[in-house]
Amino acid sequence: MSVDRVRDRLVLLGSKGGPAVRLGGPWPSSSLLELGRRTIVVDCGLGVTRAFVDAGVGLKALDLIFITHLHSDHVLELGPLIHTAWTAGLASPVSVFGPPGTGHYWRRFCQAMEFDIEIRIADEGRPDIRELVSVVEFGEGKVIEDYGLKVTALRVDHPPVTDCFALRFEQGGKSVVFSADTAFFPPLAGFARGADILVHEAMLEQGIERLVAKTGNGARLREHLLASHSFATDAGRIATDAGVKRLVLNHLIPADDPEIGEADWIAAVRKTWSGDLTIARDGLVVGLSCAEAAVGEETA
């Protein structure tokens, strides 16, 4: 196996949609993308720090962080991830890219942690974490083009959140697209055209009523799910129209229903997608070569 194939990979750190964590269940949204010798985190749901380390990457390697939108299951652990990396010895700059409001989150996190930050600088000789981190807020279009890495954003349909963005990462002829949270959104197919991997959120209709009953929000939660998220068949339709090489169903809703298994997700998406397929689970590694299935599983 070549060095590039070892290094260039996607790790699904957290695979469930929504902020709730239940006994024995998966963790909320976060992904690690190692591409062209850059260490990239996409979204920072609860559990991202532990999962990052479990993926075999030292916290001092933290480099670029991208936030698709400011729902808590995508941003709750952004501050703690960076702060924990700092306490582990991080001394190199970290760049955070997110929608409007990301800078406000970071400033308020640092204010909340001011006592700890100040005392560790004085007592332990650490660099000032507030000077290590830069936050760039973005909209549609080019987000960054740096040392061969190009990242672009597309505003998707996730009401009532207006600043929610799909992201496309391109480096050395390889490309990975994250749908972010979105209802069925046909323009996403053009944005993802020809990508090696499309990571698309997915929902199964047969699990919605049980999820709503378990959470207790009733009709309002049901309305939100139906208006703001994509069924697995929708994700398959986008992947087919885009002509991607592999579809990864992620941000699964529901992800912790004992009556729903991987076979149910496969059956749903196969109605609209016949290509290479991966169903997310926490810690799953997906290679960036079109010939590589997820580590530890067969191509579905």
Side-chain angles (χ1 to χ4, degrees):
M1 183 176 287
S2 71
V3 172
D4 283 344
R5 288 182 66 193
V6 171
R7 180 171 294 277
D8 289 342
R9 62 175 186 158
L10 166 68
V11 186
L12 305 169
L13 303 178
S15 59
K16 79 176 295 287
V21 176
R22 298 183 176 92
L23 181 64
W27 289 83
S29 300
S30 61
S31 299
L32 168 65
L33 180 61
E34 291 181 292
L35 185 62
R37 300 184 181 277
R38 304 302 295 267
T39 302
I40 303 163
V41 174
V42 180
D43 284 331
C44 292
L46 191 66
V48 62
T49 307
R50 178 76 261 175
F52 185 91
V53 173
D54 286 346
V57 185
L59 284 169
K60 290 194 291 184
L62 200 61
D63 180 11
L64 304 174
I65 301 173
F66 291 82
I67 303 298
T68 60
H69 67 294
L70 296 180
H71 263 148
S72 62
D73 54 323
H74 297 258
V75 74
L76 186 64
E77 205 170 302
L78 170 61
L81 169 64
I82 298 172
H83 185 279
T84 306
W86 179 65
T87 63
L90 177 73
S92 56
V94 174
S95 299
V96 177
F97 300 85
T102 305
H104 176 76
Y105 166 98
W106 174 246
R107 289 190 297 272
R108 289 300 179 93
F109 174 81
C110 289
Q111 289 174 2
M113 296 299 296
E114 184 175 13
F115 173 82
D116 183 87
I117 290 170
E118 296 287 359
I119 205 166
R120 289 188 189 278
I121 291 171
D123 185 48
E124 301 172 10
R126 298 184 185 277
D128 193 329
I129 189 174
R130 294 158 294 199
E131 296 176 2
L132 286 179
V133 177
S134 61
V135 177
V136 177
E137 296 183 346
F138 64 81
E140 272 198 331
K142 186 174 73 173
V143 178
I144 181 177
E145 194 159 1
D146 181 57
Y147 296 103
L149 174 66
K150 180 180 180 182
V151 183
T152 50
L154 173 72
R155 189 186 305 274
V156 291
D157 186 16
H158 187 49
V161 178
T162 55
D163 290 322
C164 183
F165 297 94
L167 294 169
R168 182 178 181 119
F169 295 83
E170 299 174 274
Q171 166 80 39
K174 297 177 181 177
S175 54
V176 179
V177 175
F178 294 83
S179 72
D181 286 10
T182 183
F184 177 59
F185 190 61
L188 184 58
F191 183 72
R193 185 82 61 206
D196 292 291
I197 296 173
L198 169 62
V199 182
H200 200 295
E201 71 137 75
M203 183 168 60
L204 274 184
E205 187 171 6
Q206 62 262 44
I208 291 178
E209 292 306 320
R210 289 193 296 272
L211 175 63
V212 167
K214 184 186 299 182
T215 305
N217 294 57
R220 293 293 297 273
L221 177 59
R222 185 187 301 106
E223 290 172 10
H224 166 74
L225 293 173
L226 295 178
S228 303
H229 295 281
S230 300
F231 288 114
T233 50
D234 298 329
R237 191 171 292 115
I238 294 293
T240 296
D241 291 346
V244 301
K245 295 174 182 175
R246 175 173 294 275
L247 171 62
V248 176
L249 294 189
N250 193 34
H251 193 273
L252 303 179
I253 303 173
D256 52 6
D257 188 326
E259 297 185 37
I260 293 176
E262 185 172 286
D264 297 294
W265 293 102
I266 294 171
V269 76
R270 282 301 183 213
K271 298 174 182 177
T272 53
W273 170 252
S274 60
D276 290 343
L277 174 65
T278 297
I279 310 301
R281 64 176 183 268
D282 290 6
L284 195 65
V285 179
V286 184
L288 263 66
S289 167
C290 63
E292 291 181 279
V295 173
E297 75 170 20
E298 300 297 325
T299 302

